[in-house]
Amino acid sequence: MSSTNAPFGLRPAYHPSGLDRATALTDGIASAYATAILKGQPVKMDTSGTIVVAAAGDAFLGAFSGVEWTDTTGRRHVSNNWPANTAYQTGSCIAYFYQDPNIVYEIQAAGSLAQTSIGDEADLSNTTAGSTTTGLSAATLSTTLAGSGNSAQMRILNLAPYPDNAWGDSYTIVRAVIAEYQFAGAAGTAI
């Protein structure tokens, strides 16, 4: 499994409380937003109060989960991804995403990680990769670790407990939490 490069983006594994519910944000994506947003893709809040795709190195909120909207012809859509350049009737879009910073995610690394990476941090990579056909993200975790005293987007907690997934495999699948959470900025720091 982790010897095959088959990334799946950020997949919620669990929450310490046992509840890992997606947040619903009305008009959470700007009508006609020009970038596809895929399930499992990292997202952040922009200054207009809508979610956008987060890039490697950005403080972010969590992972995209899906969306529903009514298009300009009156047809309702429910999808695991946001098709780029889609226009909708005002007030009809509901974007779903995980935003609790305590959620533990599973993510495939872009290469090999050793057990010594536990507690270290790494940025996301390939944040815009994925399939608009399946609607699934192919974001990965970089294997370039931040090192002691430095920060990066995600903190590695453990190995994902799957058969054929071991430390040092070609594409290690790990469990990690958001280390650079967008809403954890210093007081007085706006988006």
Side-chain angles (χ1 to χ4, degrees):
M1 182 169 173
S2 64
S3 61
T4 303
N5 186 15
F8 46 81
L10 291 162
R11 180 172 56 203
Y14 67 90
H15 186 280
S17 72
L19 184 63
D20 60 352
R21 186 175 303 163
T23 298
L25 182 61
T26 302
D27 287 342
I29 301 171
S31 185
Y33 177 58
T35 304
I37 308 177
L38 306 170
K39 184 172 185 166
Q41 197 164 28
V43 292
K44 65 180 184 176
M45 189 71 62
D46 77 354
T47 56
S48 67
T50 61
I51 59 170
V52 296
V53 175
D58 288 347
F60 70 109
L61 289 178
F64 186 71
S65 180
V67 62
E68 56 183 284
W69 73 94
T70 302
D71 67 24
T72 55
T73 67
R75 183 173 172 227
R76 191 75 179 159
H77 299 264
V78 177
S79 180
N80 67 345
N81 71 95
W82 171 259
N85 302 308
T86 299
Y88 60 80
Q89 293 179 7
T90 302
S92 71
C93 177
I94 302 171
Y96 299 95
F97 59 100
Y98 295 96
Q99 79 166 23
D100 189 321
N102 295 311
I103 291 175
V104 176
Y105 294 95
E106 292 178 345
I107 186 167
Q108 187 172 50
S112 180
L113 288 173
Q115 188 168 355
T116 55
S117 64
I118 292 176
D120 209 335
E121 297 178 8
D123 280 336
L124 296 165
S125 54
N126 305 305
T127 59
T128 59
S131 169
T132 54
T133 302
T134 64
L136 301 177
S137 172
T140 55
L141 186 66
S142 172
T143 56
T144 302
L145 302 175
S148 180
N150 299 307
S151 68
Q153 288 175 297
M154 300 204 75
R155 179 173 298 115
I156 299 165
L157 300 179
N158 204 344
L159 183 72
Y162 295 115
D164 301 324
N165 184 46
W167 293 113
D169 281 352
S170 300
Y171 299 98
T172 315
I173 300 171
V174 295
R175 287 189 169 170
V177 294
I178 298 171
E180 292 179 345
Y181 184 63
Q182 186 179 17
F183 285 173
T189 304
I191 294 174

